Amino acid sequence: MIDHLFNIKDLMPHGYCLSWSPVLLWLHVGSDLLITLAYYSIPLMLVYFIRQRKDFPYPWLAAMFAGFIVACGTTHLLSAITIWMPLYWLDGLLKALTAIISIATAVLMIWIIPRALSRPSSAQLQAEIQQRKTAETAQHEAFDRLQKIACQLPGMVFQFRLRADGSSCFPFASEAIRDIFGLSPEDVREDASKAFALVHPDDYSSIGPAIRKSARNLTPWHHEYRLRFADGTDRWLFGNALPQREEDGSMLWHGFVTDISERKRMEEKLHDSDALNVSILDSLTSRIAVLDAQGVIVAVNKAWRQFAKDNDLPESRQNMLGLNYLDMCKNGCSQPHCHEVNAAQAGIATVLAGERETFNLEYPCHSPTQQRWFHMNVLPLQGSHRGVVVSHENITERKLMEDELKASEAKFRSIIEVSPVPMALNDEQWNITFLNQAFVQTFGYNVDDIPTVADWQSKAYPDPDYRRWVDTTWQSALKKTKQEQTDFPPMELAIRCNNNNIKTVLASAAAIHHDFAGVHLVIMYDITQRKQIEAKLNSIFNASVEGIITFDMSNIIISANAAVEAIFGYKPEDLVGCNINRLMPASPKAMSDGDSSQAAESIGQIQEIEGIHKDGSAVPLDLSIAEFSIENEHYFTHIVRDVSLRKHREQQDKEHLDELAHVTRLGLMGEMASGIAHEVNQPLAAISSYTQVSLNLINAEHPDLVKLAEILYKTQQQALRAGRIIHRMREFVKSHAKQRSTANINNLIHEAVGLCIDELKQNDIRLTFELANNLPTIYVDHVQIEQVIINLIRNSVDALLNLPEKRQRQLTIHSRLTLNNDIQVRVKDNGPGLDEEQQQKILTPFYTTKTDGMGMGLSISRSLIEAHEGTLHFNSHSGKGTTMYFTLPVRRKSGTR
């Protein structure tokens, strides 16, 4: 044994020195073997423990610990073996494995121990179980007490059970179920379907999912729903219950149901009230926002949203609900107009705090495309809710008007400065504070020369009596103007200038302030030249050959010039104070006679009337009326001219014109004789034929009386036709006095065309009418107007004869109503037209384009039209035809339009 030990020592690594004794050797071996046996028994006990306690919370930790123990025991076993067998590599590797397992186990132990300590101990679990039992007992006792109290409550206390098979019941329901559901507790104790059958159809689909969600998540059940009864009435209920899971798998809710129908009705009324308020807000054009006590926007109107939309704000920002208006103002300080933003914020805050009743602010809010101004008005909310109503009204138009007004005021001041009318300004103490340049130039005085009104009066009115009259009259006028709130009446004054010249002025005053005792602007119109002209006009007035008579609103003559004596036989002084009707009974009346409209229409127009001479004879007059006012008094002036000689000449001209027209008509009939003869021959030939047929029928053995009567009727119609043609020819050519009557122009056109129709047919001329309907009547001599139309048609026919044979000859007659309320007739042809030389002479007497014409047709036509107060014109282009047209005034009777 000793030798063997020495052999082992020889096998030790270099430097290893150990003295072994038998006792020490077996001490090591026995200890290692005992430790190994103990280590190997521990894992067996852990395995047994885990298998017996399947609810052990950390079995994987026990497995790790068992592995660690086995590894440690094995290391001790190898320590005993290596004494005889040198397995040092195996021993080292096993120790390394043991180290790894031990480190891992230690780390896991460090992580697990705090969590293991947090788990309740047995004593704690027993105490918790006891507390839960005590709580359950207390809960049952409390619920029993609650059941007793529930009978006295307006709501219904209940227990609702949802069984595992899906059925439900109310194990307990207080007596209030009778008032709410109309059921007894016994009706629903085993089956809750009767209660669910009363749920409103619209709410039935939501109550089931709410119950299932509460059961699934073990969360309280809160739900509002309606009941629908057999009589059609509804009732709103609110249910509130707490769930608990029972041992048999069912769910049990303990809860309370209350009738909230009244509250719902109040909410509906409140909603209607809110809707009304919203409608009122949306009807306002101002942009309105309602803020709560903290300045948060709780409502805006339609105008607000539209303004936000128009300014391209995103849809999410157009309402701005929930945003703090005061914070928005703070954030806006970095934007332009920061001063106005700060003022708005401060003003709203003071109204919210109750420090002021209202706040107003005008501020600009310009966009890239336009300038805008708004007026902010902040008012506190009325009622129990604190807050404010902020309205923004667009005042851009008013601000622009104010700017224009300011610019106009500045312009007005500059106009006063450069005005050619003398102006002076005096203050309340009658000090002269301003004289414009025209005043200085006109009168030669400056402010230093006349510092006060008294200085001005002493120099401008050196005569004491005249100065006193001016001052008295001026002060009286100021007083009257102030009392009656009227304009200052102009005063005619004679003023001595600085160079001693006398100027006549028309002076007026305007109050700068509302009180006429304050500052005044005195305006002086220099009428010196006008007064000189008036003196000249007075001399002309008396030298005029036309009678000039002025009368007032009462028709009383105020003045008359010397010419009235030659016209009426009265001296001017004899007429002053007489009524104007003494001279002109048919003249337009003054306003006092109740015919103001007639007088007003006559202003500025020349009209023909008859005056009455002193000897009683009638005097034909041309009358024109002027109207004017002087010092608020209204006047009329009649200017009359004796036209007796002119009337005599006009009558001679008319008689001569009638003779020329008659001669022209005879010439026309001579030229149209062949065509008219052809037109007359047609009915005569028809009469001859019908007569022969009639004779044949009479000579028959059995005369056909019906056919004979028909032939005789046709014969009669042809005879009448021939008679009408001859009558129309006779009426057209005979000489007659001027006779006018109302007529339709379209009828006159057709009558005139009837006399020319055969000539149009013979020359293959296409006639077209373009006549306007419903034209007003005219007051004319029928024969003369027909003569004009015939002249124009025959001129067009002569022009169309010069067209080539292959070209269609066209003649068009138009009639229409002009913008001046005149009737216009146009005769248009597509002939060769007139050149420039012909156009200049065509309307002159004795000029003609025909080889055998007299050149009087168009001249007479123009005279006839002008005699009817119309005009005759033409329009022609060489190669494109000619249009002759005339206009006639629309008249109902002679002398009226």
Side-chain angles (χ1 to χ4, degrees), residues 98-124:
T98 302
I100 294 172
I101 296 175
S102 63
I103 292 297
T105 303
V107 172
L108 289 174
M109 290 292 288
I110 294 172
W111 181 74
I112 287 296
I113 291 302
R115 288 164 175 77
L117 291 174
S118 65
R119 299 179 68 86
S121 63
S122 297
Q124 291 174 334

PDB file of all heavy atoms in Angstrom, residues 98-124:
ATOM      1  N   THR A  98     -20.334  21.363 -13.939  1.00  0.00           N
ATOM      2  CA  THR A  98     -21.002  21.680 -12.664  1.00  0.00           C
ATOM      3  C   THR A  98     -21.012  23.188 -12.424  1.00  0.00           C
ATOM      4  O   THR A  98     -21.995  23.763 -11.925  1.00  0.00           O
ATOM      5  CB  THR A  98     -20.280  20.942 -11.518  1.00  0.00           C
ATOM      6  OG1 THR A  98     -20.295  19.538 -11.791  1.00  0.00           O
ATOM      7  CG2 THR A  98     -20.975  21.215 -10.186  1.00  0.00           C
ATOM      8  N   ALA A  99     -19.919  23.865 -12.778  1.00  0.00           N
ATOM      9  CA  ALA A  99     -19.855  25.328 -12.584  1.00  0.00           C
ATOM     10  C   ALA A  99     -20.909  26.045 -13.410  1.00  0.00           C
ATOM     11  O   ALA A  99     -21.568  26.980 -12.957  1.00  0.00           O
ATOM     12  CB  ALA A  99     -18.455  25.822 -12.942  1.00  0.00           C
ATOM     13  N   ILE A 100     -21.060  25.560 -14.678  1.00  0.00           N
ATOM     14  CA  ILE A 100     -22.056  26.212 -15.557  1.00  0.00           C
ATOM     15  C   ILE A 100     -23.455  26.037 -14.997  1.00  0.00           C
ATOM     16  O   ILE A 100     -24.251  26.989 -14.923  1.00  0.00           O
ATOM     17  CB  ILE A 100     -21.957  25.651 -16.976  1.00  0.00           C
ATOM     18  CG1 ILE A 100     -20.603  26.043 -17.611  1.00  0.00           C
ATOM     19  CG2 ILE A 100     -23.105  26.149 -17.842  1.00  0.00           C
ATOM     20  CD1 ILE A 100     -20.327  25.385 -18.933  1.00  0.00           C
ATOM     21  N   ILE A 101     -23.742  24.763 -14.598  1.00  0.00           N
ATOM     22  CA  ILE A 101     -25.092  24.504 -14.075  1.00  0.00           C
ATOM     23  C   ILE A 101     -25.315  25.278 -12.786  1.00  0.00           C
ATOM     24  O   ILE A 101     -26.395  25.840 -12.545  1.00  0.00           O
ATOM     25  CB  ILE A 101     -25.301  22.988 -13.849  1.00  0.00           C
ATOM     26  CG1 ILE A 101     -25.237  22.247 -15.207  1.00  0.00           C
ATOM     27  CG2 ILE A 101     -26.633  22.722 -13.171  1.00  0.00           C
ATOM     28  CD1 ILE A 101     -25.308  20.737 -15.074  1.00  0.00           C
ATOM     29  N   SER A 102     -24.302  25.368 -11.963  1.00  0.00           N
ATOM     30  CA  SER A 102     -24.457  26.065 -10.680  1.00  0.00           C
ATOM     31  C   SER A 102     -24.690  27.574 -10.893  1.00  0.00           C
ATOM     32  O   SER A 102     -25.510  28.186 -10.215  1.00  0.00           O
ATOM     33  CB  SER A 102     -23.225  25.814  -9.802  1.00  0.00           C
ATOM     34  OG  SER A 102     -22.055  26.363 -10.414  1.00  0.00           O
ATOM     35  N   ILE A 103     -23.900  28.141 -11.831  1.00  0.00           N
ATOM     36  CA  ILE A 103     -24.099  29.567 -12.127  1.00  0.00           C
ATOM     37  C   ILE A 103     -25.508  29.832 -12.640  1.00  0.00           C
ATOM     38  O   ILE A 103     -26.208  30.763 -12.227  1.00  0.00           O
ATOM     39  CB  ILE A 103     -23.052  30.071 -13.136  1.00  0.00           C
ATOM     40  CG1 ILE A 103     -21.657  30.067 -12.496  1.00  0.00           C
ATOM     41  CG2 ILE A 103     -23.400  31.475 -13.635  1.00  0.00           C
ATOM     42  CD1 ILE A 103     -21.526  30.999 -11.328  1.00  0.00           C
ATOM     43  N   ALA A 104     -25.975  29.010 -13.608  1.00  0.00           N
ATOM     44  CA  ALA A 104     -27.316  29.172 -14.167  1.00  0.00           C
ATOM     45  C   ALA A 104     -28.375  29.018 -13.098  1.00  0.00           C
ATOM     46  O   ALA A 104     -29.359  29.796 -13.045  1.00  0.00           O
ATOM     47  CB  ALA A 104     -27.536  28.173 -15.299  1.00  0.00           C
ATOM     48  N   THR A 105     -28.175  28.012 -12.242  1.00  0.00           N
ATOM     49  CA  THR A 105     -29.171  27.783 -11.169  1.00  0.00           C
ATOM     50  C   THR A 105     -29.190  28.958 -10.215  1.00  0.00           C
ATOM     51  O   THR A 105     -30.248  29.416  -9.766  1.00  0.00           O
ATOM     52  CB  THR A 105     -28.832  26.475 -10.433  1.00  0.00           C
ATOM     53  OG1 THR A 105     -28.804  25.392 -11.377  1.00  0.00           O
ATOM     54  CG2 THR A 105     -29.882  26.188  -9.378  1.00  0.00           C
ATOM     55  N   ALA A 106     -28.005  29.488  -9.877  1.00  0.00           N
ATOM     56  CA  ALA A 106     -27.942  30.621  -8.963  1.00  0.00           C
ATOM     57  C   ALA A 106     -28.646  31.850  -9.534  1.00  0.00           C
ATOM     58  O   ALA A 106     -29.378  32.561  -8.837  1.00  0.00           O
ATOM     59  CB  ALA A 106     -26.475  30.921  -8.640  1.00  0.00           C
ATOM     60  N   VAL A 107     -28.399  32.091 -10.866  1.00  0.00           N
ATOM     61  CA  VAL A 107     -29.053  33.236 -11.508  1.00  0.00           C
ATOM     62  C   VAL A 107     -30.559  33.084 -11.492  1.00  0.00           C
ATOM     63  O   VAL A 107     -31.331  34.017 -11.209  1.00  0.00           O
ATOM     64  CB  VAL A 107     -28.527  33.422 -12.946  1.00  0.00           C
ATOM     65  CG1 VAL A 107     -29.354  34.490 -13.693  1.00  0.00           C
ATOM     66  CG2 VAL A 107     -27.066  33.821 -12.940  1.00  0.00           C
ATOM     67  N   LEU A 108     -31.033  31.870 -11.816  1.00  0.00           N
ATOM     68  CA  LEU A 108     -32.477  31.643 -11.809  1.00  0.00           C
ATOM     69  C   LEU A 108     -33.044  31.789 -10.409  1.00  0.00           C
ATOM     70  O   LEU A 108     -34.158  32.285 -10.228  1.00  0.00           O
ATOM     71  CB  LEU A 108     -32.792  30.255 -12.364  1.00  0.00           C
ATOM     72  CG  LEU A 108     -32.560  30.100 -13.879  1.00  0.00           C
ATOM     73  CD1 LEU A 108     -32.767  28.657 -14.304  1.00  0.00           C
ATOM     74  CD2 LEU A 108     -33.534  30.992 -14.658  1.00  0.00           C
ATOM     75  N   MET A 109     -32.307  31.370  -9.417  1.00  0.00           N
ATOM     76  CA  MET A 109     -32.775  31.495  -8.047  1.00  0.00           C
ATOM     77  C   MET A 109     -32.919  32.985  -7.669  1.00  0.00           C
ATOM     78  O   MET A 109     -33.869  33.385  -6.998  1.00  0.00           O
ATOM     79  CB  MET A 109     -31.787  30.800  -7.089  1.00  0.00           C
ATOM     80  CG  MET A 109     -31.775  29.272  -7.195  1.00  0.00           C
ATOM     81  SD  MET A 109     -33.309  28.525  -6.605  1.00  0.00           S
ATOM     82  CE  MET A 109     -33.137  28.796  -4.845  1.00  0.00           C
ATOM     83  N   ILE A 110     -31.915  33.766  -8.090  1.00  0.00           N
ATOM     84  CA  ILE A 110     -31.987  35.211  -7.816  1.00  0.00           C
ATOM     85  C   ILE A 110     -33.232  35.832  -8.459  1.00  0.00           C
ATOM     86  O   ILE A 110     -33.881  36.713  -7.908  1.00  0.00           O
ATOM     87  CB  ILE A 110     -30.704  35.905  -8.299  1.00  0.00           C
ATOM     88  CG1 ILE A 110     -29.501  35.422  -7.469  1.00  0.00           C
ATOM     89  CG2 ILE A 110     -30.830  37.418  -8.223  1.00  0.00           C
ATOM     90  CD1 ILE A 110     -28.173  35.904  -7.990  1.00  0.00           C
ATOM     91  N   TRP A 111     -33.596  35.341  -9.667  1.00  0.00           N
ATOM     92  CA  TRP A 111     -34.755  35.902 -10.395  1.00  0.00           C
ATOM     93  C   TRP A 111     -36.077  35.401  -9.817  1.00  0.00           C
ATOM     94  O   TRP A 111     -37.065  36.091  -9.787  1.00  0.00           O
ATOM     95  CB  TRP A 111     -34.632  35.507 -11.864  1.00  0.00           C
ATOM     96  CG  TRP A 111     -35.762  36.040 -12.721  1.00  0.00           C
ATOM     97  CD1 TRP A 111     -35.959  37.301 -13.128  1.00  0.00           C
ATOM     98  CD2 TRP A 111     -36.857  35.264 -13.228  1.00  0.00           C
ATOM     99  NE1 TRP A 111     -37.077  37.419 -13.874  1.00  0.00           N
ATOM    100  CE2 TRP A 111     -37.676  36.134 -13.951  1.00  0.00           C
ATOM    101  CE3 TRP A 111     -37.214  33.908 -13.155  1.00  0.00           C
ATOM    102  CZ2 TRP A 111     -38.825  35.730 -14.601  1.00  0.00           C
ATOM    103  CZ3 TRP A 111     -38.362  33.502 -13.806  1.00  0.00           C
ATOM    104  CH2 TRP A 111     -39.155  34.401 -14.521  1.00  0.00           C
ATOM    105  N   ILE A 112     -36.063  34.125  -9.305  1.00  0.00           N
ATOM    106  CA  ILE A 112     -37.302  33.503  -8.868  1.00  0.00           C
ATOM    107  C   ILE A 112     -37.662  33.895  -7.438  1.00  0.00           C
ATOM    108  O   ILE A 112     -38.828  34.068  -7.101  1.00  0.00           O
ATOM    109  CB  ILE A 112     -37.184  31.958  -8.992  1.00  0.00           C
ATOM    110  CG1 ILE A 112     -37.249  31.580 -10.478  1.00  0.00           C
ATOM    111  CG2 ILE A 112     -38.281  31.249  -8.215  1.00  0.00           C
ATOM    112  CD1 ILE A 112     -38.558  31.924 -11.134  1.00  0.00           C
ATOM    113  N   ILE A 113     -36.639  34.009  -6.584  1.00  0.00           N
ATOM    114  CA  ILE A 113     -36.922  34.181  -5.153  1.00  0.00           C
ATOM    115  C   ILE A 113     -37.855  35.356  -4.885  1.00  0.00           C
ATOM    116  O   ILE A 113     -38.833  35.218  -4.135  1.00  0.00           O
ATOM    117  CB  ILE A 113     -35.595  34.319  -4.362  1.00  0.00           C
ATOM    118  CG1 ILE A 113     -34.837  32.979  -4.367  1.00  0.00           C
ATOM    119  CG2 ILE A 113     -35.859  34.757  -2.923  1.00  0.00           C
ATOM    120  CD1 ILE A 113     -35.617  31.827  -3.774  1.00  0.00           C
ATOM    121  N   PRO A 114     -37.616  36.585  -5.463  1.00  0.00           N
ATOM    122  CA  PRO A 114     -38.559  37.693  -5.178  1.00  0.00           C
ATOM    123  C   PRO A 114     -39.980  37.371  -5.595  1.00  0.00           C
ATOM    124  O   PRO A 114     -40.939  37.752  -4.931  1.00  0.00           O
ATOM    125  CB  PRO A 114     -37.979  38.861  -5.972  1.00  0.00           C
ATOM    126  CG  PRO A 114     -36.537  38.532  -6.156  1.00  0.00           C
ATOM    127  CD  PRO A 114     -36.476  37.046  -6.274  1.00  0.00           C
ATOM    128  N   ARG A 115     -40.157  36.686  -6.732  1.00  0.00           N
ATOM    129  CA  ARG A 115     -41.503  36.346  -7.188  1.00  0.00           C
ATOM    130  C   ARG A 115     -42.145  35.288  -6.301  1.00  0.00           C
ATOM    131  O   ARG A 115     -43.344  35.283  -6.055  1.00  0.00           O
ATOM    132  CB  ARG A 115     -41.451  35.863  -8.637  1.00  0.00           C
ATOM    133  CG  ARG A 115     -41.164  37.002  -9.603  1.00  0.00           C
ATOM    134  CD  ARG A 115     -40.719  36.516 -10.963  1.00  0.00           C
ATOM    135  NE  ARG A 115     -40.572  37.647 -11.893  1.00  0.00           N
ATOM    136  CZ  ARG A 115     -39.554  38.477 -11.879  1.00  0.00           C
ATOM    137  NH1 ARG A 115     -38.601  38.331 -10.972  1.00  0.00           N
ATOM    138  NH2 ARG A 115     -39.499  39.474 -12.744  1.00  0.00           N
ATOM    139  N   ALA A 116     -41.303  34.380  -5.841  1.00  0.00           N
ATOM    140  CA  ALA A 116     -41.838  33.344  -4.947  1.00  0.00           C
ATOM    141  C   ALA A 116     -42.268  33.953  -3.626  1.00  0.00           C
ATOM    142  O   ALA A 116     -43.269  33.551  -3.033  1.00  0.00           O
ATOM    143  CB  ALA A 116     -40.779  32.258  -4.722  1.00  0.00           C
ATOM    144  N   LEU A 117     -41.472  34.945  -3.172  1.00  0.00           N
ATOM    145  CA  LEU A 117     -41.836  35.589  -1.915  1.00  0.00           C
ATOM    146  C   LEU A 117     -43.131  36.387  -2.029  1.00  0.00           C
ATOM    147  O   LEU A 117     -43.826  36.603  -1.037  1.00  0.00           O
ATOM    148  CB  LEU A 117     -40.701  36.512  -1.458  1.00  0.00           C
ATOM    149  CG  LEU A 117     -39.402  35.799  -1.011  1.00  0.00           C
ATOM    150  CD1 LEU A 117     -38.329  36.814  -0.724  1.00  0.00           C
ATOM    151  CD2 LEU A 117     -39.667  34.925   0.224  1.00  0.00           C
ATOM    152  N   SER A 118     -43.434  36.878  -3.259  1.00  0.00           N
ATOM    153  CA  SER A 118     -44.656  37.662  -3.451  1.00  0.00           C
ATOM    154  C   SER A 118     -45.910  36.815  -3.417  1.00  0.00           C
ATOM    155  O   SER A 118     -47.014  37.340  -3.279  1.00  0.00           O
ATOM    156  CB  SER A 118     -44.587  38.418  -4.783  1.00  0.00           C
ATOM    157  OG  SER A 118     -44.565  37.507  -5.858  1.00  0.00           O
ATOM    158  N   ARG A 119     -45.806  35.538  -3.616  1.00  0.00           N
ATOM    159  CA  ARG A 119     -46.970  34.670  -3.577  1.00  0.00           C
ATOM    160  C   ARG A 119     -47.416  34.510  -2.128  1.00  0.00           C
ATOM    161  O   ARG A 119     -46.607  34.425  -1.211  1.00  0.00           O
ATOM    162  CB  ARG A 119     -46.668  33.303  -4.177  1.00  0.00           C
ATOM    163  CG  ARG A 119     -46.258  33.375  -5.656  1.00  0.00           C
ATOM    164  CD  ARG A 119     -45.947  31.990  -6.197  1.00  0.00           C
ATOM    165  NE  ARG A 119     -47.139  31.174  -6.277  1.00  0.00           N
ATOM    166  CZ  ARG A 119     -47.976  31.157  -7.292  1.00  0.00           C
ATOM    167  NH1 ARG A 119     -47.722  31.918  -8.342  1.00  0.00           N
ATOM    168  NH2 ARG A 119     -49.041  30.391  -7.286  1.00  0.00           N
ATOM    169  N   PRO A 120     -48.735  34.484  -1.911  1.00  0.00           N
ATOM    170  CA  PRO A 120     -49.229  34.390  -0.532  1.00  0.00           C
ATOM    171  C   PRO A 120     -48.854  33.058   0.105  1.00  0.00           C
ATOM    172  O   PRO A 120     -48.844  32.016  -0.557  1.00  0.00           O
ATOM    173  CB  PRO A 120     -50.738  34.544  -0.684  1.00  0.00           C
ATOM    174  CG  PRO A 120     -51.030  34.126  -2.081  1.00  0.00           C
ATOM    175  CD  PRO A 120     -49.845  34.534  -2.896  1.00  0.00           C
ATOM    176  N   SER A 121     -48.674  33.218   1.377  1.00  0.00           N
ATOM    177  CA  SER A 121     -48.377  31.994   2.135  1.00  0.00           C
ATOM    178  C   SER A 121     -49.672  31.283   2.485  1.00  0.00           C
ATOM    179  O   SER A 121     -50.773  31.784   2.224  1.00  0.00           O
ATOM    180  CB  SER A 121     -47.600  32.357   3.398  1.00  0.00           C
ATOM    181  OG  SER A 121     -48.414  33.173   4.234  1.00  0.00           O
ATOM    182  N   SER A 122     -49.550  30.123   3.126  1.00  0.00           N
ATOM    183  CA  SER A 122     -50.745  29.349   3.503  1.00  0.00           C
ATOM    184  C   SER A 122     -51.603  30.135   4.465  1.00  0.00           C
ATOM    185  O   SER A 122     -52.836  30.169   4.348  1.00  0.00           O
ATOM    186  CB  SER A 122     -50.321  28.027   4.164  1.00  0.00           C
ATOM    187  OG  SER A 122     -49.615  27.243   3.306  1.00  0.00           O
ATOM    188  N   ALA A 123     -50.940  30.769   5.396  1.00  0.00           N
ATOM    189  CA  ALA A 123     -51.707  31.548   6.364  1.00  0.00           C
ATOM    190  C   ALA A 123     -52.444  32.695   5.692  1.00  0.00           C
ATOM    191  O   ALA A 123     -53.597  32.989   5.997  1.00  0.00           O
ATOM    192  CB  ALA A 123     -50.758  32.076   7.451  1.00  0.00           C
ATOM    193  N   GLN A 124     -51.699  33.305   4.747  1.00  0.00           N
ATOM    194  CA  GLN A 124     -52.344  34.401   4.027  1.00  0.00           C
ATOM    195  C   GLN A 124     -53.524  33.903   3.198  1.00  0.00           C
ATOM    196  O   GLN A 124     -54.562  34.545   3.117  1.00  0.00           O
ATOM    197  CB  GLN A 124     -51.327  35.106   3.128  1.00  0.00           C
ATOM    198  CG  GLN A 124     -50.278  35.885   3.905  1.00  0.00           C
ATOM    199  CD  GLN A 124     -49.210  36.454   2.985  1.00  0.00           C
ATOM    200  OE1 GLN A 124     -48.971  35.899   1.914  1.00  0.00           O
ATOM    201  NE2 GLN A 124     -48.543  37.515   3.448  1.00  0.00           N
TER     202      GLN A 124
END
